[in-house]
Amino acid sequence: QCVEMSPEIKLRVDEVRARRDWSGEESDARIGEVVDEAVDLARAMLKSTGEDSRIELAGRTTSDLLRALGVVHHDDRLNNAGKLLFVQDSRVRIDYARRTSPGTRATDRLEAAGPLLQAYVEIKNRLDQSNAECEIQLPSGVRARIRLIPDRVVREAVVNAMIHRDYRDPEPIYIEFNGV
């Protein structure tokens, strides 16, 4: 069944066809507006890789770090991606709910906002608290402790939700965890 597209959807389709990257376009934010805590999180993430080149990158000045990450234009203005990652922006809103099963009342709720890096860490920490460990016995007799959902799966799901969205859409990212 054919349904007419709204003007907003038509615009987005045209942008995709033209290979326009909104995230790389210049924003109205400048380097001086970055939130220090968000930059500190980026540094910590870079250092945690253990790779020499990333550890060296983490040690650079904020301006040099942001330039190396590709989020700064020539006149110290951040691109839209840089603004989302490092500046307080009303477009970054994440609504997290934990439920024992789908459709039940939330047993835990968090609304995260702010620079995307800070919101990610807040949500990831809350998910880690919800994602219980259980003990399993392997055929060899060894008892191992594992999380109900592997950490890399949780990380991948949250990062995908944050990266693959159109931040021009005012609706928050909604993340729901169902389980004991």
Side-chain angles (χ1 to χ4, degrees), residues 72-124:
V72 179
H73 281 269
H74 64 281
D75 62 350
D76 286 351
R77 285 195 186 274
L78 298 173
N79 60 25
N80 287 318
K83 182 177 180 180
L84 290 170
L85 286 165
F86 295 104
V87 176
Q88 188 70 35
D89 189 326
S90 63
R91 287 180 279 212
V92 176
R93 292 183 13 250
I94 304 166
D95 186 4
Y96 164 78
R98 178 182 180 202
R99 302 177 195 286
T100 53
S101 61
T104 61
R105 185 177 183 167
T107 58
D108 186 22
R109 188 128 203 165
L110 173 67
E111 290 184 23
L116 201 55
L117 284 174
Q118 285 183 292
Y120 166 78
V121 169
E122 260 188 275
I123 294 297
K124 180 69 171 64

Side-chain angles (χ1 to χ4, degrees), residues 3 5 17 21 25 33-34 53 55 83 86 90-91 101 103 108 127 131 145 149 151 157 180:
V3 177
M5 290 190 287
R17 287 181 180 152
D21 177 15
E25 293 177 7
E33 297 175 55
V34 301
S53 62
I55 292 169
K83 182 177 180 180
F86 295 104
S90 63
R91 287 180 279 212
S101 61
D108 186 22
L127 282 162
N131 192 10
R145 296 193 61 79
I149 303 172
D151 187 56
V180 180

Side-chain angles (χ1 to χ4, degrees), residues 48-174:
S48 73
T49 66
E51 295 178 27
D52 291 340
S53 62
R54 291 183 181 184
I55 292 169
E56 182 274 324
L57 183 61
R60 294 184 186 184
T61 66
T62 297
S63 177
D64 287 344
L65 171 62
L66 295 174
R67 287 179 198 290
L69 293 175
V71 298
V72 179
H73 281 269
H74 64 281
D75 62 350
D76 286 351
R77 285 195 186 274
L78 298 173
N79 60 25
N80 287 318
K83 182 177 180 180
L84 290 170
L85 286 165
F86 295 104
V87 176
Q88 188 70 35
D89 189 326
S90 63
R91 287 180 279 212
V92 176
R93 292 183 13 250
I94 304 166
D95 186 4
Y96 164 78
R98 178 182 180 202
R99 302 177 195 286
T100 53
S101 61
T104 61
R105 185 177 183 167
T107 58
D108 186 22
R109 188 128 203 165
L110 173 67
E111 290 184 23
L116 201 55
L117 284 174
Q118 285 183 292
Y120 166 78
V121 169
E122 260 188 275
I123 294 297
K124 180 69 171 64
N125 287 341
R126 190 62 68 98
L127 282 162
D128 287 347
Q129 292 169 10
S130 301
N131 192 10
E133 285 188 346
C134 61
E135 190 173 283
I136 61 168
Q137 185 164 344
L138 302 174
S140 65
V142 173
R143 291 179 173 241
R145 296 193 61 79
I146 61 167
R147 289 207 180 261
L148 292 173
I149 303 172
D151 187 56
R152 65 182 179 79
V153 173
V154 172
R155 234 185 3 257
E156 179 79 10
V158 174
V159 169
N160 279 342
M162 293 177 160
I163 289 176
H164 295 295
R165 83 164 269 108
D166 187 341
Y167 282 92
R168 294 168 291 184
D169 181 349
E171 293 299 312
I173 297 169
Y174 187 70

